Amino acid sequence: MTTTARERLMSAAVDAFAEKGFAATTTRDIASRAGMSPAAVYVHHDSKESLFFQVSLSGHRETLELVEKSAARTDEPVERLRGLIYDFSLWHARNSRVGRIVQYEFNALTPEHRTEIGDYRRRIERVVRDVLADGVAVGAFDVDDLGGTARALLSLGVDLVRWYSPEAGSRTPEAMATLHASLAVRMVHKG
Amino acid sequence: MTTTARERLMSAAVDAFAEKGFAATTTRDIASRAGMSPAAVYVHHDSKESLFFQVSLSGHRETLELVEKSAARTDEPVERLRGLIYDFSLWHARNSRVGRIVQYEFNALTPEHRTEIGDYRRRIERVVRDVLADGVAVGAFDVDDLGGTARALLSLGVDLVRWYSPEAGSRTPEAMATLHASLAVRMVHKG
DNA sequence: GTCTATAAATTGATAGAC
DNA sequence: GTCTATCAATTTATAGAC
């Protein structure tokens, strides 16, 4: 298990950005967390924003992959939605530091990077909307506003990163995910 | 309708902080939005953080007052919860700029101010938990995890400030609030 | 690829005149 | 209570030696 300088840098950036936010994080801070000099950062990345973009991109890719796999696991609408929200909230509970960067620092990206990341967000949302639409089509779900409800379901997991920490110990990530999955099903289940 | 310099300053600060976040906002930016010189800011506030604290405090006070009034309006559990979530989400939809500051910039506060604001947050959460507990007590609601569910209900409104803008026009604040209120009732209603 | 040293710009905040 | 001018510190990023 060797770690490259580049990996140490990414990990240091995740810690710093999650803790202080993009704007309040200095390149010196990132460098020192990675055990490097301030100048060494620029061997691996052109700018602070490009380092940030790498973190944000990998977080969004992971999330999209996660929800796509989850939605492909079954066709039964209720268990499909339950699994999807369980997995989404579980990821945000377990990875609240990366999640904070992914969800809250969108505006720190350059316009070009914003377009690219925005596409990932639309695709994630689309998976949820499709799961809802399928459930409605077969008469399992009762949903008025597909887009609004999809966003509300994602809000449960997203908002975890604002306050939840797995280390705090009052609730396990699995308990949070189970709660959210159960609430999600109640939000749309027919009858 | 005269506006004092102090009011112009607060309003400029809300705009700037909501748009760029606390750390990325410069005192020069706030001053110029308020039509003042950089030095004039310090006649009214000791520091950038103290100006920010004023904004955060007034936002939290407004929110606490709002939920307390809403919860006092009726005793019938379902309509009480519906009204509470309606009002909370409506406020966040209408005031998404102040809401962004209130919800996302907690860590920018000094430790003393964090304690003070943290108290408002606990009181807001408490109102929701009490409304749920009352509904459970009279057999109207079915809730496993009171605290977790209360937080999930608030998450619907809170997460609006991350993406919603009343100017965008795809949904009115009232439509968002109605949707959230209806989802909230389904999340906890018995049977 | 790493370092030390430093450039160039920006920042929060203050001094002092009016 | 507002301004102009400026300080002192900090920041992103680069130059050049090893």
Side-chain angles (χ1 to χ4, degrees):
Chain A
M1 184 93 168
T2 46
T3 62
T4 66
R6 206 190 150 78
E7 285 166 348
R8 287 205 326 274
L9 208 49
M10 284 274 285
S11 168
V14 167
D15 289 345
F17 288 145
E19 210 171 279
K20 308 173 153 194
F22 175 78
T25 297
T26 67
T27 53
R28 278 170 174 74
D29 185 11
I30 295 171
S32 107
R33 283 177 199 248
M36 298 177 192
S37 74
V41 173
Y42 293 90
V43 175
H44 303 281
H45 292 276
D46 287 344
S47 66
K48 178 175 143 183
E49 193 275 343
S50 101
L51 176 51
F52 168 67
F53 173 62
Q54 290 295 334
V55 174
S56 182
L57 182 62
S58 108
H60 278 90
R61 279 194 174 137
E62 210 177 309
T63 309
L64 175 60
E65 202 176 328
L66 175 93
V67 297
E68 280 178 341
K69 275 192 184 159
S70 189
R73 208 165 286 138
T74 173
D75 276 339
E76 200 284 304
V78 172
E79 290 319 307
R80 203 170 171 217
L81 179 67
R82 190 190 303 278
L84 179 63
I85 299 307
Y86 181 91
D87 289 341
F88 186 78
S89 282
L90 184 65
W91 187 88
H92 282 78
R94 281 188 178 157
N95 305 281
S96 54
R97 288 171 322 149
V98 177
R100 213 164 295 139
I101 301 167
V102 165
Q103 302 296 353
Y104 290 164
E105 300 283 3
F106 184 72
N107 291 325
L109 294 163
T110 62
E112 295 75 26
H113 289 160
R114 224 176 286 183
T115 304
E116 195 170 338
I117 295 290
D119 191 51
Y120 278 91
R121 294 186 162 205
R122 270 185 297 278
R123 288 164 72 186
I124 291 165
E125 216 176 291
R126 173 105 212 186
V127 171
V128 182
R129 217 169 51 238
D130 286 351
V131 168
L132 290 183
D134 285 358
V136 170
V138 300
F141 295 160
D142 174 26
V143 178
D144 254 24
D145 175 347
L146 274 181
T149 304
R151 276 208 158 107
L153 292 173
L154 292 175
S155 292
L156 300 179
V158 168
D159 197 45
L160 279 180
V161 308
R162 188 172 53 89
W163 61 272
Y164 182 81
S165 160
E167 287 85 27
S170 87
R171 286 178 184 82
T172 63
E174 289 77 12
M176 287 305 321
T178 303
L179 171 64
H180 285 178
S182 153
L183 292 173
V185 170
R186 292 176 78 166
M187 279 160 88
V188 302
H189 197 33
K190 191 170 231 166
Chain B
M1 184 91 168
T2 46
T3 61
T4 65
R6 205 191 151 78
E7 283 166 347
R8 286 205 327 274
L9 207 49
M10 283 274 285
S11 169
V14 167
D15 289 347
F17 288 144
E19 210 171 279
K20 309 174 154 195
F22 175 78
T25 297
T26 66
T27 53
R28 278 168 175 77
D29 184 11
I30 296 170
S32 106
R33 283 177 198 249
M36 299 176 189
S37 74
V41 173
Y42 293 89
V43 173
H44 303 281
H45 292 276
D46 287 345
S47 68
K48 180 175 144 184
E49 193 274 343
S50 99
L51 175 51
F52 168 68
F53 173 62
Q54 290 296 333
V55 174
S56 182
L57 182 62
S58 108
H60 277 90
R61 279 195 173 137
E62 211 177 307
T63 309
L64 175 60
E65 201 177 328
L66 176 93
V67 296
E68 280 178 342
K69 274 191 186 159
S70 189
R73 209 166 285 136
T74 173
D75 276 338
E76 200 284 304
V78 172
E79 290 319 307
R80 202 172 171 215
L81 179 67
R82 189 190 304 279
L84 179 63
I85 300 305
Y86 182 91
D87 289 341
F88 186 78
S89 282
L90 183 65
W91 187 87
H92 282 79
R94 281 186 177 157
N95 306 281
S96 53
R97 287 171 322 149
V98 177
R100 212 166 296 139
I101 301 167
V102 165
Q103 301 296 353
Y104 290 164
E105 300 283 4
F106 183 72
N107 292 324
L109 295 163
T110 62
E112 295 75 26
H113 289 160
R114 225 176 285 182
T115 304
E116 193 170 341
I117 296 290
D119 191 52
Y120 278 91
R121 295 187 160 203
R122 271 185 296 279
R123 288 164 71 184
I124 291 165
E125 216 177 291
R126 173 106 214 187
V127 171
V128 182
R129 218 171 48 240
D130 286 351
V131 166
L132 289 183
D134 285 357
V136 169
V138 301
F141 295 160
D142 173 26
V143 179
D144 254 24
D145 175 348
L146 273 182
T149 304
R151 276 210 158 105
L153 292 172
L154 292 175
S155 291
L156 300 180
V158 167
D159 197 45
L160 279 179
V161 307
R162 189 173 53 92
W163 61 272
Y164 182 82
S165 160
E167 286 86 27
S170 87
R171 287 177 183 82
T172 62
E174 289 76 13
M176 287 304 323
T178 302
L179 172 63
H180 285 179
S182 153
L183 292 174
V185 169
R186 291 176 76 166
M187 280 161 88
V188 302
H189 197 36
K190 191 169 228 166

